[in-house]
Amino acid sequence: MKAVRFVVVAALSFAAALGVTIAFAATLFGVPKEDLAAVALVLLEVGCGVGLAALFLMRPAVLGRIGGVRAQLLGAGLIGSLLLLGTTLLGSRAMFFSGHDLSILLTMLLFAALLAVGIGLYWAAPMARRIEEVREGTARLASGKLDTEVPVKGHDEVAGLAVDFNRMARRIREADERERAMEGERRELIAAVSHDLRTPLTAVRALLEAVNDGVAADPEVRERYLSSAQNEVTHLGRLVDDLFELAQIDAGALRLTLERASLHDLISDTLASFQPEADKRGVRLLGEFSDGIDPVLINPPKLQRVLHNLISNALRHTPSDGTIFLRVKPEGEEAVRVEVEDTGEGITPEVLPRVFERSFRGEESRARPRDGASPGAGLGLAIARGLIEAHGGSIRAESQTGAGSRFCFTLRRAS
């Protein structure tokens, strides 16, 4: 198939060259009409051999054996010049040039050919250097030097190659930075999860050993120990669920089925479920609803999980006599905004950009609360962000140290 394609291309190229030459000879060069047929015949005889030889010698598979770019360009110039000399020599014999005229013509052609080769070699040198710069940059990048970039010179294909190389290098560098950041987050996550697993496991083991050894012989004490162990096991279950859900989010495997639902009813139920805990902590829990917020497109269980994580986080960081506001208001014509605001200690500007990272917790939240509840492994906000983004919305955090924090997310309206 390649051979057939090559023959077809060669034939078409020869026919085009012959047609253009005869047209110029008849119009610009003033060749008499009665001589055009003879000239065409000579060109046909000479061109069939010399032209096909030129096309063969100029193929990349032939020139590629010469060596580098400089050598290939020099070889192409030499081949072209030799073919020009050969064509002139064969044509002169067909047209019965005198030996004197032929020698002068060949001398002039040789001089022109040498000049053409010299100019081609001079032009090939900077191109070869530019290609070598890209090659060296590729070698440096392959060796692990991700800050490698190559200079962009000119506006041709080599310059385009350099631009593409630099773009590729930047993307590789950015991917490496993301990978390093994710690896750091992964280490923090493992450390945090290990800590939060060890604490309840140690507590459960101690409680069960006490019951098994007869230390808690009194029925009431034994019941209290078993109840505490059950609470710790429940916490372990929640932690495992968090890890599983976060793994789905990170893998992009979380697919939510959204439905038309009432956001007002869902938030009212969530506030009612948190009211006893808020009363126990002495925190006021208030809801504010604007008109025209329903219906929205949500997955009710997953959105309730988001609200649970945000309100739980606000309760942990709001002191007694503090207030938590949950506001819902329209966000344009196609979205609704939900805000969870507290009057707690706030988040420092250094910490605020990292609150949605996996396993990140401010140092003040790492201590286990006095009521025995777990602060979690720092997964709640990361899961909330993943679930909101799976809803097609966005979430952000705002805070002022000493004045509280506000977490806002958007949801799409149902048409």
Side-chain angles (χ1 to χ4, degrees), residues 8-24 43-44:
V8 172
V9 171
L12 292 176
S13 301
F14 178 76
L18 181 61
V20 171
T21 302
I22 294 300
F24 271 75
L43 292 177
L44 183 63

Side-chain angles (χ1 to χ4, degrees), residues 204-264:
V204 170
R205 182 171 60 184
L207 291 168
L208 293 180
E209 287 177 353
V211 173
N212 189 50
D213 294 341
V215 175
D218 184 76
E220 293 184 1
V221 176
R222 183 166 57 251
E223 183 178 355
R224 188 172 69 251
Y225 277 26
L226 292 176
S227 178
S228 298
Q230 184 178 9
N231 291 336
E232 296 294 348
V233 170
T234 301
H235 163 60
L236 285 173
R238 287 198 301 266
L239 181 57
V240 171
D241 291 341
D242 286 348
L243 291 172
F244 178 73
E245 194 150 35
L246 187 62
Q248 285 187 307
I249 293 172
D250 289 343
L254 185 63
R255 298 291 184 269
L256 299 184
T257 301
L258 305 182
E259 61 185 60
R260 292 167 57 96
S262 172
L263 185 59
H264 186 284

Side-chain angles (χ1 to χ4, degrees), residues 72-312:
Q72 291 185 33
L73 291 175
L74 178 60
L78 286 174
I79 291 172
S81 299
L82 291 175
L83 291 173
L84 179 61
L85 290 173
T87 303
T88 303
L89 183 60
L90 294 175
S92 66
R93 289 182 179 178
M95 291 182 288
F96 303 104
F97 279 11
S98 66
H100 177 267
D101 293 341
L102 179 61
S103 62
I104 294 177
L105 179 61
L106 291 177
T107 301
M108 296 176 65
L109 288 175
L110 178 61
F111 177 70
L114 293 176
L115 283 180
V117 170
I119 293 173
L121 186 60
Y122 177 78
W123 173 77
M127 175 176 288
R129 283 196 298 270
R130 290 162 60 198
I131 296 176
E132 182 65 20
E133 288 174 348
V134 176
R135 191 198 66 79
E136 291 175 354
T138 304
R140 290 196 302 272
L141 185 65
S143 66
K145 298 179 179 179
L146 302 184
D147 58 343
T148 299
E149 288 198 2
V150 296
V152 179
K153 302 175 182 177
H155 304 281
D156 55 9
E157 288 83 353
V158 179
L161 178 63
V163 171
D164 292 339
F165 174 87
N166 291 337
R167 185 184 300 113
M168 177 190 67
R170 284 193 296 270
R171 290 182 178 178
I172 292 176
R173 186 163 57 249
E174 292 170 357
D176 180 72
E177 292 173 356
R178 287 195 300 269
E179 181 64 25
R180 291 177 182 273
M182 291 178 63
E183 184 62 28
E185 291 181 18
R186 194 175 295 114
R187 291 195 186 98
E188 292 181 5
L189 176 62
I190 292 174
V193 169
S194 299
H195 172 270
D196 286 291
L197 284 174
R198 187 185 302 114
T199 301
L201 283 174
T202 302
V204 170
R205 182 171 60 184
L207 291 168
L208 293 180
E209 287 177 353
V211 173
N212 189 50
D213 294 341
V215 175
D218 184 76
E220 293 184 1
V221 176
R222 183 166 57 251
E223 183 178 355
R224 188 172 69 251
Y225 277 26
L226 292 176
S227 178
S228 298
Q230 184 178 9
N231 291 336
E232 296 294 348
V233 170
T234 301
H235 163 60
L236 285 173
R238 287 198 301 266
L239 181 57
V240 171
D241 291 341
D242 286 348
L243 291 172
F244 178 73
E245 194 150 35
L246 187 62
Q248 285 187 307
I249 293 172
D250 289 343
L254 185 63
R255 298 291 184 269
L256 299 184
T257 301
L258 305 182
E259 61 185 60
R260 292 167 57 96
S262 172
L263 185 59
H264 186 284
D265 293 343
L266 179 65
I267 292 179
S268 297
D269 294 341
T270 304
L271 290 174
S273 66
F274 273 97
Q275 194 60 55
E277 183 177 355
D279 293 340
K280 180 181 177 181
R281 293 173 178 266
V283 175
R284 291 182 295 275
L285 191 57
L286 305 177
E288 300 177 3
F289 302 90
S290 299
D291 295 332
I293 60 172
D294 287 329
V296 291
L297 282 175
I298 59 174
N299 182 290
K302 297 301 184 183
L303 184 58
Q304 196 165 40
R305 177 71 181 280
V306 173
L307 294 171
H308 180 277
N309 290 351
L310 295 179
I311 296 175
S312 296

